[in-house]
Amino acid sequence: ATTRTFSIIKPDATRRNLTGAVTAMLEEAGLRVVASKRIRMTREQAEGFYAVHKERPFFNDLVAFMTSGPVVVQVLEGENAVARNREVMGATNPDAADEGTIRKTYAESIEANSVHGSDSDENAKIEIDFFFKPEEIVG
Ligand code: CMP
């Protein structure tokens, strides 16, 4: 089925001017960008978005990193979008990511790993609603 997922191009990637290169890999994987905006996340947004990780030892560093520069938040549409996006992103840790994936190609570290993608259809809806109004998504 055609579904949607939520993606973030993270500060390590925007800093290196990789917004287009990362987006091209998403598009080549069969995903369509149906919403996109470049924002500077506030501390409140980053803490809210990653609330599920708030007890993890990396939480404070993660919030600092995600607010350290611009990000590009996107809604992606395609056949089984969540799984397709996770395939093209590769493993969270770039050392474990397959060749040809975004993280293997571009990530700097497990934290500065260039992209975020939703891990389920349920979380995709929650994450899309966190950053986008319905009228900002044009399918
Ligand atoms: P993301 O898919 O956005 O979800 C949580 C983020 O926390 C992850 O990508 C990384 O950017 C960051 N992170 C930092 N350290 C770790 C870790 N040890 N395990 C998982 N995620 C980590």
Side-chain angles (χ1 to χ4, degrees):
T2 298
T3 61
R4 289 176 175 174
T5 191
F6 175 76
S7 171
I8 306 176
I9 303 176
K10 296 188 180 185
D12 67 288
T14 62
R15 176 170 46 75
R16 288 175 288 154
N17 209 21
L18 294 171
T19 297
V22 170
T23 301
M25 289 179 80
L26 298 170
E27 291 179 341
E28 279 157 21
L31 296 162
R32 179 176 294 270
V33 180
V34 295
S36 184
K37 57 187 173 187
R38 179 173 166 109
I39 61 168
R40 182 77 178 251
M41 262 194 218
T42 64
R43 183 180 179 80
E44 289 66 33
Q45 278 177 313
E47 287 176 349
F49 182 77
Y50 281 122
V52 61
H53 295 304
K54 69 173 179 292
E55 304 305 329
R56 306 285 284 274
F58 57 81
F59 181 73
N60 287 336
D61 284 350
L62 175 62
V63 169
F65 167 62
M66 291 300 291
T67 57
S68 68
V71 301
V72 179
V73 292
Q74 296 177 319
V75 180
L76 308 176
E77 195 174 86
E79 186 71 18
N80 296 323
V82 168
R84 185 157 295 192
N85 185 40
R86 291 180 73 75
E87 261 176 43
V88 69
M89 283 196 300
T92 303
N93 185 345
D95 294 334
D98 289 338
E99 289 297 332
T101 62
I102 293 168
R103 284 165 168 164
K104 182 69 171 189
T105 305
Y106 292 122
E108 296 180 326
S109 67
I110 193 169
E111 175 179 85
N113 63 356
S114 300
V115 281
H116 166 83
S118 308
D119 63 4
S120 66
D121 287 347
E122 186 190 9
N123 283 333
K125 179 175 172 22
I126 292 167
E127 292 176 0
I128 289 167
D129 290 347
F130 192 89
F131 284 104
F132 288 97
K133 300 177 201 155
E135 63 269 27
E136 293 179 307
I137 305 168
V138 183

